[in-house]
Each structure stands twice: as C-alpha cells, then as structure tokens.
Amino acid sequence: TVVVLAMALVVAAGSLSPADAQSRSIEEVMAAFIYQFTNYVEWPDNAFESKTSPLHICVVGNEAMFENLSKLTSGKKFNDRSIELHHYESIDEVKSCHLLFVGSEVLEESETMPEGHELITLTVGDSKSFTRNGGVIRLFESQSKVRIEINIDAAKRGEFKISSKLLALAEIVHDENGD
C-alpha cells in the first residue's frame, strides 16, 4: 500500500507516468517528490509577501537535483504562483527560499541546519541525520525505493501543515535533542 501511495504521490501532477517512474533514477524520483511536496504542504500565511508572490525553490550543491527540478517546474504554477528555482553552491549564499533542498555533500552528517533556515523554509535533505538535526523532510533510498522521513517537531516550528496523506507515507521522527 505504501509503495502504491508513494507512486501516486510522484505521478499525481503528471510529472511522471507510472511506467516512467519505474525507469527513472533515484535522483529523478527524489526531484519529483520534492516538486510534489508543494501539493501536500501548506506554508504559514506569513511565508509569502503577497497572494501573488512566487514560490522560491532552492537547491544547495547537487547540480543534478537542480537540473531535474528545472525540468519538472518549467512552466508550472503553485496555487496560482509562479515557481522560481535557484541554485547555490554554498548554504551561506542562500537568500529567501520557501523550499530548500540541501544535498548530503553540503551538510556533514553531524551538522544541523544553519540558523534562520528552519522557520518558514521547508527544508528537505538526503543526509542520514538531516531530520534528526532539525531538517523537516529527509528523502533516502532503501531497497531501490525512495523513502520519506518527516521531523514533526521541525514542521511544527515552521508552522507547516503537512497533509495526512504525506504523513502516512513517512517515518515520523523528532529532534534528536528532544526540543
């Protein structure tokens, strides 16, 4: 059931057909998940300057993820908002993002998210300790499938409302320090 729901999440907006999803690389499927998170997460009202402000999706490092997201978001809208995609080499360069993907090559396993990126930014990463150290969503490969881990404490801090459908697919974790 979880596999069927996960496949539905990936193909929901027509990003990938079911047959395509099975033949794509893990990185392409992860990019589809990241794009689809916009349909399953509600940002707090103060996350956007106005009702027409664009959704800013940022990628730090991981050029392949940026390219895959570029293909998926080209010409797409999010709740009548345009989608602007940004790529940064370093997390220190990041400005304002609504969804921030930080690749494992950027954050060392023991590092936590830098200050200021945890509030109204939905943080997504793929390093092993990402969610346990304050990130909101971790994507990882297990048995040739993409899995999801959600730090419910980090989501609450950011005032994100995460769909029960997405929560049902995820392993729920809490901050390592118990906050």
Side-chain angles (χ1 to χ4, degrees), residues 4-179:
V4 173
L5 287 172
M7 184 68 76
L9 177 69
V10 172
V11 300
S15 303
L16 298 173
S17 72
D20 283 345
Q22 291 179 349
S23 67
R24 300 290 179 174
S25 72
I26 290 294
E27 192 139 80
E28 289 171 310
V29 174
M30 283 185 177
F33 268 75
I34 292 168
Y35 172 66
Q36 288 300 319
F37 289 154
T38 62
N39 295 311
Y40 293 89
V41 175
E42 185 179 321
W43 275 258
D45 292 336
N46 64 343
F48 297 94
E49 290 180 23
S50 73
K51 292 185 186 273
T52 59
S53 296
L55 173 76
H56 294 274
I57 299 176
C58 304
V59 176
V60 180
N62 202 323
E63 184 70 33
M65 181 65 73
F66 177 76
E67 290 172 14
N68 287 321
L69 279 168
S70 292
K71 292 175 195 170
L72 289 170
T73 61
S74 180
K76 301 274 175 53
K77 295 266 187 182
F78 162 73
N79 293 340
D80 295 325
R81 298 174 188 277
S82 62
I83 297 174
E84 292 185 10
L85 194 59
H86 308 276
H87 183 259
Y88 301 98
E89 293 299 321
S90 160
I91 199 143
D92 296 330
E93 299 172 14
V94 176
K95 304 285 186 241
S96 175
C97 297
H98 296 102
L99 192 156
L100 172 64
F101 176 81
V102 182
S104 58
E105 74 280 4
V106 174
L107 285 182
E108 295 297 324
E109 294 295 327
S110 61
E111 289 184 25
T112 58
M113 289 300 299
E115 291 297 316
H117 290 293
E118 70 276 359
L119 294 177
I120 56 173
T121 300
L122 180 69
T123 53
V124 181
D126 60 355
S127 65
K128 189 172 183 175
S129 61
F130 187 79
T131 49
R132 298 189 192 279
N133 289 327
V136 180
I137 299 175
R138 173 182 168 231
L139 293 172
F140 62 100
E141 180 183 357
S142 176
Q143 299 175 341
S144 300
K145 292 185 177 30
V146 174
R147 307 285 187 202
I148 305 168
E149 193 174 79
I150 296 176
N151 179 329
I152 207 72
D153 299 327
K156 285 179 184 174
R157 275 194 306 276
E159 299 179 28
F160 297 107
K161 293 178 186 167
I162 299 176
S163 161
S164 60
K165 291 176 183 177
L166 181 55
L167 290 171
L169 292 176
E171 177 183 337
I172 305 300
V173 298
H174 295 274
D175 290 339
E176 214 167 63
N177 61 11
D179 286 347

